[in-house]
Amino acid sequence: MSEIPAKATESEDPSKSGGTRAAGDLPDARASHGTPASHGTSVSASAGAPDARAPHGPQDPDTTGFGSEEPRPGEPLWQSKPPGSIYDYIKVASFSIGPDGLVDQWSLRAEQVFGIPAERAVGMDPIEAFIDPDLRAQGQRKMTEILDGREWTGVVPFRVPDGADGGRGKDGLAEVYVMPTRTEEGEKAAVCIVVDVRTLRRMETDLAASQAIFGQSPFGFLLIDTDLRVRRANERFASLFGGTPDDHRGQGVHDYLARPEAERVAATLRRVLESGDSITDMHVTGFLPGSDERRHWSVNLYRVHSGSGRPIGVAWLGIDITARRAAAREAAAARRNLALLNDAGARIGNSLDLETTARELLDVVVPGFCDLATVDLYQGLLAGDETPPGLADGSAELRRVAFSSAVSDAPFVGGGAEVAVGGVHHYPFNSPCADALRTARVQHVPGEEGGLVQSTLAVPMVAHDTVVGLAQFARTKGSEPFGDRDRELAVELAARAAVCIDNARLYRREHERALILQRSLLPPGDPVAAGLDIACRYLPGNASADRHSEVGGDWFDVIELPGHRTALVVGDVMGRGLRAAVAMGELRSAVRTLALLDLEPAEVLSALDEIARGLGAPGGVQQATRAARRPREADLSEVYLATCVYAVYDSVTRRCTFANAGHLPPVLVEPGEDALMLDVPPGMPLGVGGEPFEEVEVELPEGALLALYTDGLVESRDHPLDEGLQAFVGALTDPSRPLEDVCDHVLNTLDTHHGEDDIALLMARVQGLPADSVGDWTLPREPRSVGRAREYARARLLSWDLEALVDTTELLVSELVTNALRYGEGEIRLRLLLDRTLVCEVWDAGLVQPRRRRARDTDEGGRGLQLVGLLSAAWGSRRTPRGKTVWFELPLPDGETTLTDPAEALLSLF
């Protein structure tokens, strides 16, 4: 090996020397401070010296490290330009040893490797300074050999001396290459080139790890240069896109991705290259060669630097997430479907109304599940038929009850001709919709060419194995087509809605039946009564209440009693539904029966109380009475409670007797006076038992207004009872108006639309019988009274222009007065009353009630009451506080009513 001159001559101009310098003029070598150059040799750039940077191929002079730009004082050469060589990673140091074996020159790189400045290193014995004491003897021998002119290379452990600042030195392992040289005087010296072996070992390890990661990675790995071209690809990437890794060198993103996606990825690569910010989980979509399946990748990008920190490209790590995306879509669809079902469970069926339930279904599915939807229900089901017709062929009439669209209210045209909401239609026999109704299976209906709808699901609405209608869900073009999961979801949604609709149908049927029952038990039309002008209102609870409305137990009744008297009844059975309506019917029938017995109001309520207690007992009234005597135990029978006010009005005396069983007090409005609530003791509700009822008798002036009502009129959850009563009393300001107008005014003034309870209102204006319509005589207890009674009756009937009734009336009066003389006691009273009919009453003090019997053919008597029954429209007897009254009633001749001939009636008895 040729020796390097100890002192090189000054370099020539680069233009004259081809851009090179003499080895001794390398700027990386510098003389020690104040040390003569003759004591050693400079570091050489030839002979493979690492301090001289070898270019990697053709380079410009200013990028090779050999340009004209000089480094700043104290700055290493590799930091003045970005050379991009291996010496960026391996820090090679050099120093020279003089003939005396001491360091006479110390390069800047040596300062960095050993951490010792030149002023301290020059003059040091390298063996004594850096070698372990146990190896110094061997080191001295080697130094002697080197100074004798022998080259040497080897790995030497060294220790950096403790620093001048007290810092502890570090251990190291260096590969040393020593080359003998000579000084200008011809003395032997040496140049040492030192490489940190641990750095080399670390580079080997890093290179092996990098090679393993790059070559064995299960993910696609690319190194992309600053021109956005592939510089290196791993086997995984090549296995996906074909060819070998070398075949992908020089390719760009446009060679793998479609133009829009490639431009987006290229812009991202430039941003990473310029900013240095890494990108994590960037989703890239494309196709593999030879495949039409869209693939999805998750890509991580980060900038790669050289050893000097210069950006040299971008690393691309790609993971195929197509399966993961599909699983995520499936999971998202499952979560969406579950949320949709939860929403359907919360929103569908909140109303027991068929149309409202159908609209609730569409509110759930549009736009969360489809873009357009309709619901058709069988017309027969809406009409209340037990079984919807036409289930066999699916072509029965249907009514469109709901429609919803998320596309600017576009009409639904997926199932044939357009049908408006409320329209009645049917599907052709061979149509998919008719097939869905016929088979109870979902049918897929493709959209029409050029139409808005992409596809439609015709889903039968099945509840309890019965098809009640058809739901259609349509998606417009551009939306995701229906899949198997969507079909299952559509069936589930339609089934839930169908069950709610069927429940609403059953409720509507029960409600209508109960309402029919209730209305059938109320007085038909406008009730009429002697001496009273009657007006009434009944409003069942409506479906707007929070508690879905059922019929209640409110009722009222107007019962004509003998003697032109009238019973006014208003009651309310506690509870709702069909059972309450049935209980109300039973109590109303009982009231009418008890009223015809002509009992006093308090007696009527006492009997009703017994009946109400018997309604909930399995054995009826008698069983309930026996159970009341036993100790109170667990009672599984249903308890019926009711309130009732019962009033009897006498049109002759204009007196009204009230009895109250826990009901609201009647309201009376006298002419020229304010309305007031009558003080009638409320008593206990019917069905409680154990308490007697009190009576109150009130004389009603002519023209007075009497109002009976239920609590639904004056009470609601928003208005307490006291406020409602005051509002009701305040609404009765003008009793002189027609009764129908007064009723309407009350209902319009009060809050009667809350729908929480039924409302019953009964109003009566007092119109007593005129004095000239009443004939009243007292007869002594003697046989002549019979003839006198006939004379009184004839004279009064003639004065009333009722000559047609004279004969019949004389005959019947004669029979009743004769019976009073024969079987009665005390004086006899005869009274004739003329109103809509003619009533004749015979009073006496006897307590024995007349009993009608059939006389045998051989009997000479016993046919008087039979004759009364044949000739009169009605007859009867009732108890009075001082005895009894026997009465009969005759219709007034109006030209249409045919009167029975007394002679024929007499002959018919024999």
Side-chain angles (χ1 to χ4, degrees), residues 218-220 235-243 248 288-289 295 297 318 320:
F219 312 123
E235 290 289 346
R236 176 60 178 170
F237 183 86
S239 66
L240 293 176
F241 286 89
H248 295 276
L288 294 177
R295 310 292 293 184
W297 294 277
D320 192 333

Side-chain angles (χ1 to χ4, degrees), residues 34 50 66 118 172 203 300 382 385 446 511 576 599 619 678 805 831:
F66 295 97
M203 287 182 60
N300 297 326
L382 296 172
D385 293 347
H511 177 80
R576 303 184 67 80
L599 301 177
L678 296 179
L805 299 179
R831 189 167 73 166

Side-chain angles (χ1 to χ4, degrees), residues 196-264:
D196 191 346
V197 174
R198 292 184 177 179
T199 301
L200 290 176
R201 298 293 182 266
R202 186 168 61 250
M203 287 182 60
E204 290 177 356
T205 302
D206 293 347
L207 185 60
S210 174
Q211 188 68 24
I213 293 174
F214 195 85
Q216 302 173 16
S217 172
F219 312 123
F221 212 146
L222 296 177
L223 289 179
I224 300 175
D225 61 17
T226 55
D227 294 329
L228 305 186
R229 295 288 179 179
V230 176
R231 284 303 171 196
R232 187 175 180 185
N234 68 346
E235 290 289 346
R236 176 60 178 170
F237 183 86
S239 66
L240 293 176
F241 286 89
T244 64
D246 291 339
D247 294 336
H248 295 276
R249 293 182 183 271
Q251 300 291 327
V253 292
H254 289 79
D255 297 319
Y256 302 103
L257 303 175
R259 182 179 182 83
E261 187 74 353
E263 292 178 353
R264 182 179 70 89

Side-chain angles (χ1 to χ4, degrees), residues 30 114 129 140 395 482 491 500 590 702 738 750 775 823 876 887:
R30 66 176 185 182
F114 293 100
Q140 291 293 346
S395 59
F482 289 112
V491 171
C500 295
E702 185 73 21
L750 302 181
Y823 305 107
W887 58 272

Side-chain angles (χ1 to χ4, degrees), residues 3 6 39-41 97-101 104 143-150 179-191:
E3 297 180 352
H39 292 303
T41 60
I97 300 175
D100 54 0
D104 64 351
M143 180 60 70
T144 302
E145 294 176 358
I146 290 170
L147 293 178
D148 287 340
R150 296 183 57 183
M179 296 176 290
T181 60
R182 289 181 180 274
T183 63
E184 293 180 351
E185 291 78 14
E187 294 179 308
K188 295 181 179 180
V191 173

